Amino acid sequence: MTEAVETTEDVDTEEIEADEVEDTEEVVEDPADGLKRALKAERALRRTAEREARDLKAERENADKEPAEQALDQARREAAAEATSAANKRILRSEVRGIAKGRLADPADALVYLDLDSFEVDEDGEIDSEAIEEAISDLLKKKPYLAADTGDKFRGGADQGARGKQNAPAQLSKDDLKKLTPAQIVEADRNGQLNALKGIK
């Protein structure tokens, strides 16, 4: 009887150890992801601390002023903060599009898929370009179909190789055009890839 109890305890211990190993495997994460999260949290805390420090400084400066003057100063600060925020958003959006150009087929996709609040514009209007480049690289790993066309994609297709002359440019269909950016359409037109759609033989 004693042996049966020990055997059961051994099995239970093995099952518990196996469960612990499985739980550990689920918790393990890429250290880079943890560092990115920590950096993002640190930036958010810093922004909050800077905002609180500015507010505290403004409160000290306003302590000796009349209530009407305090209200006017508060309204000026809020208007200035809104104007700065709007300007920073424009700067950030422009910077993101600029960095995404050439890497994404449509640079505006970066504005859709990236969390713009995770980037900050400092008081001098500077942005951490490396953080944006890293975010775009991560985006391309997750959504490779957003990558910019290398230029060889529409030079010929399996169904178009036998058409016309051997050296004639591969012709694009209306469906192909839907997948292209305006710049790519202009380039395809220059290459003669739209001749069939235009009725040119």
Side-chain angles (χ1 to χ4, degrees):
M1 283 243 192
T2 306
E3 290 177 9
V5 171
E6 287 175 3
T7 305
T8 307
E9 287 176 0
D10 290 342
V11 171
D12 290 343
T13 306
E14 288 174 8
E15 287 177 7
I16 290 169
E17 287 173 1
D19 289 343
E20 287 175 359
V21 170
E22 288 175 12
D23 290 343
T24 306
E25 288 173 2
E26 291 174 7
V27 174
V28 173
E29 65 175 302
D30 183 4
D33 290 341
L35 290 173
K36 287 177 191 174
R37 274 199 308 279
L39 182 59
K40 196 174 187 179
E42 185 273 329
R43 286 178 179 159
L45 285 172
R46 187 178 59 199
R47 282 194 300 263
T48 302
E50 288 171 355
R51 186 171 46 251
E52 288 173 356
R54 282 193 301 269
D55 291 346
L56 184 58
K57 181 180 175 187
E59 283 178 24
R60 286 183 184 157
E61 290 173 356
N62 282 336
D64 297 332
K65 295 182 181 178
E66 295 294 322
E69 208 175 339
Q70 289 179 3
L72 182 60
D73 284 347
Q74 178 66 23
R76 285 182 183 147
R77 276 195 308 277
E78 288 174 3
E82 285 179 24
T84 301
S85 176
N88 285 348
K89 284 180 183 176
R90 283 194 299 274
I91 291 169
L92 179 59
R93 291 169 68 86
S94 177
E95 183 79 7
V96 168
R97 278 194 304 265
I99 293 173
K101 188 174 182 180
R103 297 191 65 193
L104 299 181
D106 183 359
D109 284 342
L111 303 177
V112 174
Y113 291 104
L114 296 182
D115 177 15
L116 298 185
D117 292 334
S118 65
F119 309 112
E120 66 179 83
V121 181
D122 67 20
E123 292 179 3
D124 298 325
E126 297 296 322
I127 302 169
D128 185 357
S129 298
E130 289 179 10
I132 296 172
E133 288 174 4
E134 186 178 312
I136 290 172
S137 295
D138 289 345
L139 175 63
L140 287 172
K141 286 177 190 170
K142 294 174 188 170
K143 300 181 183 297
Y145 55 86
L146 295 175
D149 184 14
T150 59
D152 296 332
K153 186 174 182 181
F154 296 105
R155 299 280 183 226
D159 63 335
Q160 298 169 349
R163 289 187 198 168
K165 297 176 185 173
Q166 188 87 14
N167 295 330
Q171 297 300 299
L172 300 178
S173 68
K174 288 182 181 179
D175 288 335
D176 292 332
L177 291 181
K178 292 176 185 175
K179 300 173 189 170
L180 300 178
T181 64
Q184 291 170 327
I185 292 171
V186 170
E187 181 66 23
D189 189 26
R190 275 192 219 135
N191 294 334
Q193 293 176 287
L194 303 182
N195 289 352
L197 291 174
K198 294 164 61 176
I200 300 171
K201 293 186 181 181

